[in-house]
Coordinates of all heavy atoms in Angstrom, one line a residue:
L25 N 0.6 12.1 -3.1 CA 0.2 11.5 -1.8 C 0.2 12.5 -0.7 O 1.1 13.3 -0.5 CB 1.3 10.4 -1.5 CG 1.2 9.7 -0.2 CD1 -0.1 8.8 -0.2 CD2 2.4 8.8 0.0
Y30 N 0.5 9.5 4.1 CA 1.9 9.0 4.3 C 2.2 8.7 5.8 O 2.7 7.6 6.1 CB 2.9 10.1 3.7 CG 4.3 9.7 3.9 CD1 4.9 8.8 3.1 CD2 5.1 10.4 4.8 CE1 6.3 8.5 3.2 CE2 6.4 10.1 5.0 CZ 7.0 9.2 4.2 OH 8.4 8.9 4.4
M33 N 0.3 5.7 6.9 CA 0.9 4.5 6.4 C 2.1 4.0 7.3 O 2.3 2.8 7.7 CB 1.4 4.6 5.0 CG 0.3 4.3 3.9 SD 1.0 4.2 2.2 CE 2.2 5.4 2.0
L34 N 3.0 5.0 7.5 CA 4.2 4.7 8.3 C 3.8 4.2 9.8 O 4.4 3.2 10.2 CB 5.1 5.9 8.4 CG 5.8 6.4 7.2 CD1 6.6 7.6 7.5 CD2 6.6 5.3 6.5
Y97 N -1.1 -0.6 -0.4 CA 0.2 -0.4 0.3 C 0.4 -1.6 1.2 O -0.5 -2.3 1.6 CB 0.2 0.9 1.1 CG -0.5 0.9 2.4 CD1 0.0 0.4 3.6 CD2 -1.8 1.2 2.4 CE1 -0.7 0.5 4.8 CE2 -2.6 1.2 3.6 CZ -2.0 0.8 4.8 OH -2.7 0.8 5.9
H98 N 1.7 -1.9 1.4 CA 2.1 -2.9 2.4 C 3.5 -2.6 2.8 O 4.2 -1.8 2.2 CB 1.9 -4.3 1.9 CG 2.9 -4.8 0.8 ND1 2.8 -4.4 -0.5 CD2 4.0 -5.5 0.9 CE1 3.8 -4.9 -1.2 NE2 4.5 -5.7 -0.3
P105 N 12.5 -1.8 0.0 CA 11.1 -1.4 -0.5 C 11.1 -1.7 -2.0 O 10.8 -0.9 -2.9 CB 11.0 0.1 -0.3 CG 12.4 0.5 -0.4 CD 13.2 -0.6 0.2
Y121 N 1.4 0.5 -6.2 CA 1.7 -0.2 -5.0 C 2.8 0.6 -4.3 O 3.9 0.9 -4.8 CB 2.3 -1.5 -5.4 CG 1.2 -2.5 -5.7 CD1 0.6 -2.5 -7.0 CD2 0.7 -3.4 -4.8 CE1 -0.4 -3.4 -7.4 CE2 -0.3 -4.3 -5.2 CZ -0.9 -4.3 -6.4 OH -1.9 -5.1 -6.7
F122 N 2.5 0.9 -3.0 CA 3.4 1.5 -2.1 C 4.0 0.5 -1.2 O 3.3 -0.3 -0.6 CB 2.8 2.7 -1.3 CG 2.4 3.9 -2.1 CD1 1.3 4.0 -2.8 CD2 3.3 5.0 -2.0 CE1 0.9 5.1 -3.5 CE2 3.0 6.1 -2.7 CZ 1.8 6.2 -3.4
I123 N 5.3 0.5 -1.1 CA 6.0 -0.5 -0.2 C 6.8 0.3 0.8 O 7.6 1.2 0.4 CB 6.9 -1.5 -1.0 CG1 6.1 -2.3 -2.0 CG2 7.6 -2.4 -0.1 CD1 6.9 -3.2 -3.0
I124 N 6.5 0.0 2.0 CA 7.3 0.7 3.1 C 8.3 -0.3 3.7 O 7.9 -1.4 4.2 CB 6.3 1.1 4.3 CG1 5.1 1.8 3.7 CG2 7.1 1.9 5.3 CD1 3.9 1.7 4.7
S125 N 9.6 0.1 3.7 CA 10.6 -0.8 4.3 C 11.0 -0.3 5.6 O 11.3 0.9 5.8 CB 11.8 -0.8 3.3 OG 12.9 -1.5 3.9
Y126 N 11.1 -1.3 6.6 CA 11.6 -1.0 7.9 C 12.9 -1.7 8.1 O 13.4 -1.9 9.3 CB 10.6 -1.4 8.9 CG 9.3 -0.6 8.9 CD1 8.3 -1.0 8.1 CD2 9.2 0.5 9.6 CE1 7.1 -0.2 8.0 CE2 8.1 1.4 9.6 CZ 7.1 1.0 8.7 OH 5.9 1.8 8.7
K130 N 15.5 4.3 9.5 CA 14.4 5.2 9.1 C 13.6 4.5 8.0 O 14.2 3.9 7.0 CB 15.0 6.5 8.5 CG 14.0 7.5 8.2 CD 14.6 8.8 7.7 CE 13.5 9.8 7.3 NZ 14.0 10.9 6.6
P131 N 12.3 4.4 8.1 CA 11.4 3.8 7.0 C 11.7 4.4 5.6 O 11.9 5.6 5.6 CB 10.0 4.0 7.5 CG 10.1 4.4 8.9 CD 11.4 5.0 9.1
I132 N 11.7 3.6 4.6 CA 11.8 4.1 3.2 C 10.5 3.6 2.5 O 10.1 2.5 2.6 CB 13.0 3.5 2.5 CG1 14.3 3.9 3.3 CG2 13.1 3.9 1.1 CD1 15.5 3.2 2.8
V133 N 9.9 4.6 1.7 CA 8.7 4.3 1.0 C 9.0 4.5 -0.5 O 9.5 5.5 -0.9 CB 7.6 5.2 1.4 CG1 6.3 4.9 0.6 CG2 7.3 5.1 2.9
K134 N 8.6 3.5 -1.3 CA 8.7 3.5 -2.8 C 7.3 3.2 -3.4 O 6.5 2.5 -2.7 CB 9.8 2.6 -3.3 CG 11.2 2.9 -2.8 CD 11.8 4.1 -3.4 CE 13.2 4.3 -3.0 NZ 13.8 5.4 -3.6
C135 N 7.1 3.6 -4.6 CA 5.9 3.4 -5.3 C 6.2 2.8 -6.6 O 7.2 3.1 -7.3 CB 5.1 4.7 -5.4 SG 3.5 4.6 -6.2
Y136 N 5.3 1.8 -7.1 CA 5.5 1.1 -8.3 C 4.1 0.8 -9.0 O 3.1 0.8 -8.4 CB 6.1 -0.3 -8.0 CG 7.4 -0.2 -7.3 CD1 7.5 -0.3 -5.9 CD2 8.6 0.0 -8.0 CE1 8.7 -0.2 -5.2 CE2 9.8 0.0 -7.3 CZ 9.8 -0.1 -6.0 OH 11.0 0.0 -5.3
V146 N 7.3 4.6 -9.8 CA 6.4 5.8 -9.9 C 6.9 6.9 -8.8 O 7.2 6.6 -7.7 CB 5.0 5.4 -9.6 CG1 4.1 6.6 -9.5 CG2 4.5 4.4 -10.5
I148 N 6.8 9.8 -6.3 CA 5.8 10.2 -5.2 C 6.0 11.7 -5.0 O 7.1 12.2 -4.9 CB 6.1 9.5 -3.9 CG1 6.0 8.0 -4.0 CG2 5.1 10.0 -2.8 CD1 6.5 7.2 -2.8
F150 N 4.5 14.7 -2.7 CA 3.7 14.9 -1.5 C 2.9 16.3 -1.6 O 3.4 17.2 -2.1 CB 4.6 15.0 -0.2 CG 5.3 13.6 0.0 CD1 6.6 13.4 -0.4 CD2 4.6 12.6 0.6 CE1 7.2 12.2 -0.1 CE2 5.2 11.4 0.9 CZ 6.5 11.2 0.5

Side-chain angles (χ1 to χ4, degrees):
L25 178 65
Y30 175 75
M33 272 194 318
L34 292 180
Y97 74 91
H98 73 281
Y121 283 79
F122 286 83
I123 302 175
I124 311 156
S125 171
Y126 292 91
K130 184 178 178 187
I132 300 169
V133 179
K134 298 286 183 181
C135 183
Y136 304 92
V146 174
I148 302 170
F150 295 100

